[in-house]
Amino acid sequence: MAAALPLAVLGLLLLGPGGRGHAEPPRDTLREELVITPLPSGDVAATFQFRTRWDSDLQREEVSHYRLFPKALGQLISKYSLQELHLSFTQGFWRTRYWGPPFLQAPSGTDHSFLRYAVLPREVVCTENLTPWKKLLPCSSKAGLSVLLKADRLFHTSYHSQAVHIRPVCRNARCTSISWELRQTLSVVYDAFVTGQGKKDWSLFRMFSRTLTEPCPLASESRVYVDITGHNQDNETLEVNPPPTTTYQDVTLGTRKTYAVYDLLDAAVINNSRNLNLQLKWRSPPEHEAPPAPFLHAQRYVSGYGLQSGELNTLLYNTHPYRAFPVLLLDTVPWYLRLYVHTLTITSKGKENKPSYVHYQPAQDRLQPHLLEMLIQLPANSATKVSIQFERALLKWTEYTPDPNHGFYVSPSVLSALVPSMVAAKPVDWEESPLFRSLYPVSDSSSYFVRLYTEPLLVNLPTPDFSMPYNVICLTCTVVAVCYGSFYNLLTRTFHIEEPSTGGLAKRLANLIRRARGVPPL
């Protein structure tokens, strides 16, 4: 009877309140997605998304149990009353002119009084950043799409960007209750010509050195989308293997796209060998044509000569044949580049283009950088040039980096715009549509939101000859050592006068002979 009582108590604990065996449905869900897009230049872009949504208000509720949502991030939200967090690590530069608009974008801002923005353009991204990022995933890198995240293959790419996005999401139209959404994204661009050994064909194994074997058991959705827009039934120039069971059509970045869909939760997708290796082969070699220019792209460079002054130049291109649209340009310039705001000039088609909005916050030495924000109207089919002159400051010798002659990096410019769409987009249900559909918000059916980043700049500053202090130190130490050493030796040395001994060698030999004979020595 004594042994049966603990078993009964254990049974009540397992059944829960009311003695029922039905557990509450989980309030958190996981969706994972991979989108593979052949780029106009012939390269291949792969975009991973892992979205964890938790129906819990972490700032008001006391949460002690975490199932899918990472505990470290949940405690960060509740402790610091975090509203949103967007952290990204990027290696390389997205070439909008040749790759088209970026598939993965950062969301729009929040209130300026609570917004914190920072950029480290020189920071190097390596496996030390990827490993903790993968540990935030519910299945880590053991199952699902995350098995493809092999470090030596991901960093052997032309472009690599991984990010963590945390934001609150309304559960209903009135937003009386919220859920927290964690979206982990990773985008890479493979050079198909290099990875394919001279061929444009590609496969999962050729890109990631691995294949898909099983979905993540904790995921409610696990899908792979392959862009097959160029696949024409009349002129089949490419072949996708295995053939998709379903396809998905939608307006993506202003153009109509067709995607082959592979659902890993469908048992028919993964064959009997439990192996899914998507392949794309070109039946006829693609024609070498110039890729179509996107409606909005930009570039940035430094002009001038010498180490005293220079000029920052940003070129904004609007290639739309007949529509003009505004662009919000944001620049953060380090304090050691002293901007001359009165030299700010904006020209379009050879004429002055006055911005409709300008916000400038001057820098403070060693405290904060310059902040320049402008709203510029880009005429149709035009190139707009934004230029501003600056003067280089002289840093303290302790403020230089270990390799000062390499130069100092300037963070890229940020462009935000509503770009006209070629095809009208229809409103969709965000929960029912793919995850990549929510990456580019659509304000109306005629435009979509785009955020672009220019390339970072490398600026040389007046740098002293750091070898001269070394030479002076060496010479000074040598002179001090020789002079002080000799003087100290003279002051501390003790001299003794020894009297010359009498007799010498002959006397010692005579005493030896006398000692042998038993005669007293001399």
Side-chain angles (χ1 to χ4, degrees):
M1 184 66 181
L5 182 59
L7 292 178
V9 175
L10 178 61
L12 291 176
L13 292 176
L14 292 176
L15 291 175
R20 299 177 182 177
H22 300 284
E24 295 183 0
R27 304 191 327 186
D28 50 358
T29 57
L30 170 65
R31 295 175 60 186
E32 58 179 10
E33 180 182 286
L34 169 61
V35 182
I36 300 176
T37 307
L39 300 177
S41 62
D43 302 326
V44 180
T47 303
F48 293 84
Q49 283 200 80
F50 304 89
R51 196 203 73 166
T52 304
R53 181 170 178 174
W54 193 4
D55 295 339
S56 175
D57 192 349
L58 298 178
Q59 297 180 353
R60 298 180 181 179
E61 302 176 6
E62 294 184 1
V63 180
S64 59
H65 177 68
Y66 290 81
R67 179 175 172 264
L68 300 179
F69 203 91
K71 184 177 181 180
L73 298 181
Q75 293 177 344
L76 182 67
I77 296 174
S78 59
K79 182 177 181 179
Y80 296 100
S81 300
L82 192 66
Q83 295 184 2
E84 286 191 28
L85 174 63
H86 306 280
L87 177 64
S88 61
F89 298 90
T90 303
Q91 186 76 23
F93 172 66
W94 183 274
R95 306 183 183 278
T96 308
R97 176 63 180 83
Y98 303 99
W99 295 346
F103 191 78
L104 184 62
Q105 308 169 32
S108 56
T110 59
D111 189 358
H112 285 280
S113 60
F114 299 100
L115 180 63
R116 299 295 181 267
Y117 175 76
V119 181
L120 294 176
R122 193 179 180 180
E123 187 69 18
V124 179
V125 184
C126 60
T127 56
E128 295 179 356
N129 306 115
L130 180 63
T131 301
W133 185 88
K134 292 192 296 185
K135 290 182 179 180
L136 297 176
L137 299 174
C139 289
S140 185
S141 58
K142 307 299 182 183
L145 300 178
S146 58
V147 298
L148 302 178
L149 304 180
K150 193 176 180 181
D152 60 337
R153 300 298 299 173
L154 293 179
F155 289 100
H156 189 64
T157 55
S158 303
Y159 176 82
H160 171 92
S161 178
Q162 63 188 64
V164 174
H165 305 281
I166 303 176
R167 64 170 185 170
V169 180
C170 297
R171 300 187 203 175
N172 48 39
R174 295 184 178 181
C175 203
T176 57
S177 59
I178 64 172
S179 302
W180 282 96
E181 180 187 81
L182 166 64
R183 185 170 300 202
Q184 297 179 243
T185 61
L186 188 145
S187 299
V188 291
V189 175
Y190 285 91
D191 190 338
F193 190 81
V194 175
T195 57
Q197 299 179 355
K199 300 180 180 180
K200 293 294 184 180
D201 302 339
W202 58 264
S203 65
L204 289 183
F205 184 80
R206 183 171 294 177
M207 291 190 299
F208 303 102
S209 297
R210 292 178 180 176
T211 57
L212 296 174
T213 56
E214 60 179 349
C216 175
L218 300 176
S220 60
E221 181 181 307
S222 181
R223 295 180 180 179
V224 179
Y225 294 85
V226 181
D227 188 357
I228 57 173
T229 306
H231 181 72
N232 191 352
Q233 297 294 338
D234 299 333
N235 184 16
E236 295 184 355
T237 57
L238 56 88
E239 178 184 358
V240 182
N241 189 31
T245 57
T246 59
T247 59
Y248 174 79
Q249 293 185 356
D250 200 354
V251 178
T252 304
L253 295 175
T255 58
R256 189 172 298 279
K257 297 285 187 178
T258 303
Y259 296 91
V261 184
Y262 298 88
D263 190 355
L264 299 184
L265 298 180
D266 186 1
V269 173
I270 300 180
N271 52 26
N272 296 330
S273 61
R274 300 184 62 83
N275 183 11
L276 177 61
N277 183 24
L278 298 179
Q279 299 178 2
L280 187 145
K281 297 181 180 179
W282 292 91
R283 292 187 175 181
S284 60
E287 300 179 358
H288 296 280
E289 298 180 356
F295 287 157
L296 176 63
H297 63 279
Q299 66 181 91
R300 198 181 189 200
Y301 61 93
V302 179
S303 61
Y305 59 91
L307 295 177
Q308 181 179 1
S309 60
E311 189 176 47
L312 295 176
N313 301 276
T314 305
L315 295 178
L316 311 177
Y317 296 93
N318 176 14
T319 61
H320 200 283
Y322 55 87
R323 286 193 61 178
F325 54 87
V327 171
L328 185 64
L329 177 63
L330 175 65
D331 269 337
T332 55
V333 183
W335 63 268
Y336 44 77
L337 299 182
R338 308 190 187 281
L339 297 182
Y340 295 145
V341 185
H342 69 279
T343 63
L344 176 64
T345 57
I346 304 175
T347 56
S348 299
K349 295 183 177 181
K351 299 180 181 180
E352 182 182 2
N353 187 345
K354 293 184 179 181
S356 56
Y357 167 77
V358 176
H359 170 71
Y360 174 69
Q361 181 177 340
Q364 298 182 16
D365 290 355
R366 301 171 180 85
L367 293 180
Q368 68 179 22
H370 301 270
L371 177 64
L372 180 60
E373 190 175 17
M374 297 175 290
L375 184 62
I376 306 173
Q377 186 75 13
L378 302 184
N381 196 15
S382 66
T384 302
K385 182 179 180 180
V386 181
S387 60
I388 185 172
Q389 298 180 8
F390 66 89
E391 182 180 10
R392 296 173 172 88
L394 184 62
L395 303 180
K396 298 180 180 179
W397 72 275
T398 56
E399 295 175 344
Y400 286 91
T401 57
D403 52 346
N405 292 312
H406 176 76
F408 292 79
Y409 285 89
V410 180
S411 60
S413 301
V414 185
L415 282 74
S416 304
L418 290 176
V419 180
S421 177
M422 294 294 294
V423 183
K426 299 180 180 180
V428 296
D429 186 0
W430 299 114
E431 291 300 323
E432 298 297 333
S433 61
L435 293 178
F436 70 84
R437 186 66 176 82
S438 60
L439 293 178
Y440 37 90
V442 178
S443 61
D444 51 29
S445 60
S446 62
S447 61
Y448 59 94
F449 177 78
V450 169
R451 176 166 292 171
L452 301 179
Y453 298 87
T454 64
E455 55 267 68
L457 300 179
L458 188 62
V459 180
N460 291 324
L461 294 182
T463 305
D465 187 0
F466 286 100
S467 63
M468 286 304 297
Y470 174 78
N471 296 335
V472 172
I473 292 174
C474 292
L475 179 60
T476 304
C477 292
T478 302
V479 173
V480 170
V482 172
C483 298
Y484 179 76
S486 301
F487 185 70
Y488 181 80
N489 191 18
L490 292 176
L491 292 178
T492 58
R493 179 179 295 179
T494 303
F495 296 93
H496 299 277
I497 300 176
E498 296 183 359
E499 296 182 358
S501 58
T502 58
L505 181 60
K507 185 177 180 179
R508 289 197 295 271
L509 291 176
N511 288 333
L512 291 176
I513 297 174
R514 291 174 67 88
R515 188 178 299 171
R517 292 180 178 180
V519 181
L522 298 176

